[in-house]
Amino acid sequence: LVRHDKTTFFAESSLKKLSNKIYQGILHDVTESIKANELLKKSELKYRELTERISDAFIAVDSDWNYTYISTNAGMIFQKDPSLLIGKNVWEEFPEFNNSNISLPLREAMKTQKFGREQQYSFVLKKWFDYRIYPSPNGLSVYFNDITEMKLAEEKIKDAQEKMDAAIRIGKIGYWSWDIEKDEVDWSDRMYAIYDVDPKTSLKYDTVLNCIHPDDQQMHQDIVAQRIKNKNNSSFSYRIVHKDKSI
């Protein structure tokens, strides 16, 4: 409607018949209500655009475990149309998740209202996920992403390390590192056994040098200096003297 001053406003009207010839009309100015609804719609649109830009999957549930929002990425993981899940109960829609690894942390976060972070393997989806769980009085917001490739890479590294450790034990091979600037030497367990040194010993270069046969110490120092200067990693031999004076 248009006012006398040419400004416009939104109105809501109702009409009631009082008698055969008399009607009562009621007019409400609902401009502020309309503006508030428009602002809310814009805010919701911005929120949805923001969550869709995030690479992680995202879901939100209310305090009764009903979906209030599901991102496109989450729908792809669940292999479901997100719009068809809104208002549906999590445990009824996916009963297989009811006793899954992640169900306990989700319920705990809802109960305690404390943030949770979990890395869990889903036996249902056959994948590893990293979950960040944000509780509120109104429900939960959960961000999660597929970390299966990272976990597989970690397993390969762990397997390779175990095989290397086994080879070192079988071959009686030790390995070490030396921080030249700090003069700090780090030995594997096998190195302590080879040099016959107490594992609790704090190691520096001179500590190691004192374990070498006196006749080989100068030669050892010269070769080490050359190796550092020329960045040469070729091997060389020298004698070690044990505590019992055996060589």
Side-chain angles (χ1 to χ4, degrees):
L1 296 176
V2 182
R3 297 187 180 95
H4 290 297
D5 60 2
K6 305 301 181 181
T7 59
T8 60
F9 67 99
F10 291 93
E12 182 181 88
S13 63
S14 61
L15 188 65
K16 181 180 179 181
K17 186 177 182 182
L18 300 179
S19 64
N20 290 337
K21 296 183 179 181
I22 300 175
Y23 291 86
Q24 182 185 57
I26 300 174
L27 189 70
H28 291 283
D29 184 344
V30 293
T31 304
E32 293 302 318
S33 176
I34 295 293
K35 287 181 178 179
N37 285 334
E38 288 297 322
L39 184 61
L40 180 61
K41 288 179 181 178
K42 289 180 180 179
S43 297
E44 290 178 345
L45 181 59
K46 285 184 178 180
Y47 176 74
R48 289 177 183 273
E49 288 177 347
L50 177 62
T51 55
E52 293 302 333
R53 287 195 195 108
I54 297 172
S55 60
D56 292 354
F58 171 75
I59 66 167
V61 298
D62 61 24
S63 56
D64 293 320
W65 297 99
N66 297 318
Y67 288 109
T68 58
Y69 186 79
I70 303 173
S71 71
T72 301
N73 288 341
M76 292 174 64
I77 291 172
F78 295 150
Q79 297 183 351
K80 295 272 190 177
D81 183 343
S83 64
L84 300 179
L85 292 175
I86 301 301
K88 301 288 183 66
N89 184 272
V90 173
W91 313 122
E92 291 177 1
E93 194 66 23
F94 297 101
E96 61 271 26
F97 287 119
N98 201 13
N99 295 314
S100 65
N101 294 343
I102 193 58
S103 64
L104 182 60
L106 290 174
R107 295 180 191 278
E108 186 70 13
M110 183 79 85
K111 179 181 177 180
T112 63
Q113 290 293 291
K114 292 182 179 179
F115 167 78
R117 179 109 189 224
E118 296 284 335
Q119 288 189 355
Q120 299 275 7
Y121 179 74
S122 172
F123 290 96
V124 178
L125 300 173
K126 310 298 183 186
K127 292 181 179 181
W128 279 92
F129 291 96
D130 178 37
Y131 299 90
R132 277 101 62 219
I133 308 167
Y134 298 88
S136 76
N138 298 322
L140 293 178
S141 295
V142 184
Y143 294 87
F144 56 103
N145 62 304
D146 184 346
I147 57 170
T148 305
E149 290 187 7
M150 182 186 77
K151 282 293 184 179
L152 291 175
E154 287 178 355
E155 286 297 321
K156 288 181 180 179
I157 293 172
K158 182 181 178 182
D159 183 59
Q161 183 65 48
E162 289 175 350
K163 289 179 178 178
M164 185 182 75
D165 290 343
I168 289 172
R169 287 194 302 272
I170 295 170
K172 296 183 178 181
I173 301 170
Y175 55 91
W176 55 272
S177 64
W178 176 27
D179 186 324
I180 299 175
E181 291 184 0
K182 295 181 180 179
D183 191 20
E184 294 178 352
V185 178
D186 183 47
W187 277 356
S188 67
D189 292 341
R190 177 57 63 181
M191 286 292 290
Y192 285 100
I194 291 172
Y195 275 74
D196 192 21
V197 172
D198 186 339
K200 296 179 181 179
T201 303
S202 178
L203 299 176
K204 294 185 178 298
Y205 177 72
D206 285 345
T207 312
V208 178
L209 188 64
N210 289 334
C211 297
I212 297 172
H213 193 285
D215 292 344
D216 292 346
Q217 287 184 8
Q218 188 59 53
M219 176 267 293
H220 185 279
Q221 287 180 291
D222 292 342
I223 292 177
V224 168
Q226 291 174 5
R227 295 290 188 270
I228 294 172
K229 181 180 179 180
N230 301 324
K231 297 182 179 181
N232 186 334
N233 292 323
S234 59
S235 61
F236 63 97
S237 302
Y238 55 90
R239 293 169 291 177
I240 297 170
V241 182
H242 286 173
K243 293 175 183 177
D244 62 1
K245 305 302 179 181
S246 62
I247 299 174

